[in-house]
Amino acid sequence: MPIITHTAFSSIIIKRLLICPAKGIFTTCRELEDYYRALGYSGSIFRVPFSSVFEKEIFSAPAGEEEKRELRTRLGMREEHIVLSVGRFSYQNGYGKGYDCLLRAAAKMKASRSVGWYILGGEPTDEFVAMKNSMGLTNVYFLPFQSRSELTEYYRAADVFALMTVKDVWGLVINEAFACGVPVITTDMCIAGREMIEDGKNGYLVPVGDDASLVRYLEKLLCDGQLLRRMSENNLQKAYDWTIETMAKARYQALLNMD
């Protein structure tokens, strides 16, 4: 039988006092709907999109060979293929974003093909620097956070975006990758991934910590240019369903329905 501490019990009571009188609640996924219902909320719950991307920021087409070549030259990327990951190292010291899984995947693919792994997450911990060095991963790069325009260049230069997070209540980097036309591989604990990815159509979902599945899907994408292009195009189309404009319209419509 689970034990509920006094602090946890008080927290539940406070949440109920705040939530239950609400006329309506906006949410992004079924898990949150279930959470509010479990707290005792019986009012209207509205599923709405969530995004940090404006429609005008969605590219009209995936990056072509010439654009990728120019971007990679400017960004100092020398490898044949590029895998990008973005997320703060401060989240569980790098383990929260699954960077340990990423490094294991990089080690497994090291001998099979030329892949550069670019991790934009701020200052890495000493543990991850040591992990990278002990695995001999000279093709893994820890980079500082970038401005939005600089980050867009990294997305466009990449072949695949990989976010091996152990848990994300959303994951706005998924929206950004879609808007730049990049296929996405993320975990089944990333809400944005679960909501936006149609497995095999515009990306893949894998279990947390499953570096073997990450390697398998990366190999599949990087050796099939047509599949890579098709997924990129599908993501650009899908991105229009998850913009700041669609989020605002959905919330406005929900407000009208509350009256």
Side-chain angles (χ1 to χ4, degrees):
M1 180 177 180
I3 298 174
I4 300 178
T5 65
H6 175 73
T7 302
F9 183 74
S10 299
S11 176
I12 291 172
I13 294 297
I14 291 171
K15 288 177 181 177
R16 284 178 174 170
L17 288 173
L18 291 172
I19 291 170
C20 289
K23 193 173 182 180
I25 292 178
F26 297 136
T27 183
T28 56
C29 62
R30 181 169 298 279
E31 286 82 359
L32 285 176
E33 290 182 28
D34 294 341
Y35 175 74
Y36 293 131
R37 295 301 186 201
L39 285 174
Y41 181 73
S42 58
S44 299
I45 297 179
F46 301 93
R47 292 277 294 276
V48 297
F50 190 56
S51 184
S52 59
V53 174
F54 287 100
E55 285 183 3
K56 66 181 181 181
E57 295 176 309
I58 300 173
F59 282 81
S60 59
E65 290 185 12
E66 183 176 350
E67 180 183 353
K68 282 186 182 290
R69 185 166 55 250
E70 290 177 355
L71 285 171
R72 291 176 181 184
T73 298
R74 183 156 67 246
L75 296 172
M77 297 173 167
R78 299 180 298 276
E79 295 81 10
E80 180 184 359
H81 302 290
I82 303 297
V83 176
L84 176 69
S85 193
V86 179
R88 55 191 172 89
F89 247 102
S90 57
Y91 180 31
Q92 296 183 16
N93 295 321
Y95 289 97
K97 294 299 181 181
Y99 290 145
D100 55 323
C101 181
L102 219 60
L103 293 190
R104 293 196 303 270
K108 289 179 179 179
M109 293 183 68
K110 183 170 61 174
S112 62
R113 59 176 65 245
S114 174
V115 182
W117 303 72
Y118 289 78
I119 300 174
L120 278 63
E123 188 69 26
T125 63
D126 292 341
E127 182 179 2
F128 270 88
V129 172
M131 193 185 305
K132 170 194 164 180
N133 292 338
S134 67
M135 292 179 174
L137 298 176
T138 57
N139 59 330
V140 172
Y141 308 91
F142 297 129
L143 301 175
F145 285 115
Q146 310 290 317
S147 68
R148 185 63 176 269
S149 60
E150 291 169 330
L151 183 54
T152 296
E153 291 190 344
Y154 279 92
Y155 282 123
R156 295 288 284 178
D159 292 302
V160 180
F161 180 79
L163 180 67
M164 300 304 291
T165 180
V166 299
K167 188 173 181 62
D168 254 294
V169 294
W170 185 253
L172 289 169
V173 290
I174 304 296
N175 299 73
E176 295 168 6
F178 270 49
C180 291
V182 187
V184 172
I185 302 175
T186 189
T187 69
D188 52 11
M189 292 301 290
C190 176
I191 300 299
R194 292 214 301 261
E195 292 293 314
M196 298 176 69
I197 288 177
E198 297 178 65
D199 214 41
K201 183 175 181 181
N202 58 359
Y204 298 102
L205 293 176
V206 302
V208 169
D210 190 350
D211 54 281
S213 290
L214 174 58
V215 168
R216 183 171 71 255
Y217 286 131
L218 282 173
E219 290 283 7
K220 183 176 182 177
L221 284 168
L222 297 181
C223 70
D224 190 339
Q226 289 186 340
L227 176 61
L228 202 65
R229 178 81 182 186
R230 187 165 63 250
M231 282 196 172
S232 298
E233 291 171 345
N234 289 340
N235 273 352
L236 289 174
Q237 291 302 312
K238 189 77 171 180
Y240 283 100
D241 296 330
W242 301 85
T243 64
I244 290 174
E245 288 87 349
T246 57
M247 180 172 66
K249 289 175 184 176
R251 293 190 178 207
Y252 177 69
Q253 188 60 51
L255 289 171
L256 294 178
N257 292 338
M258 287 183 200
D259 296 332

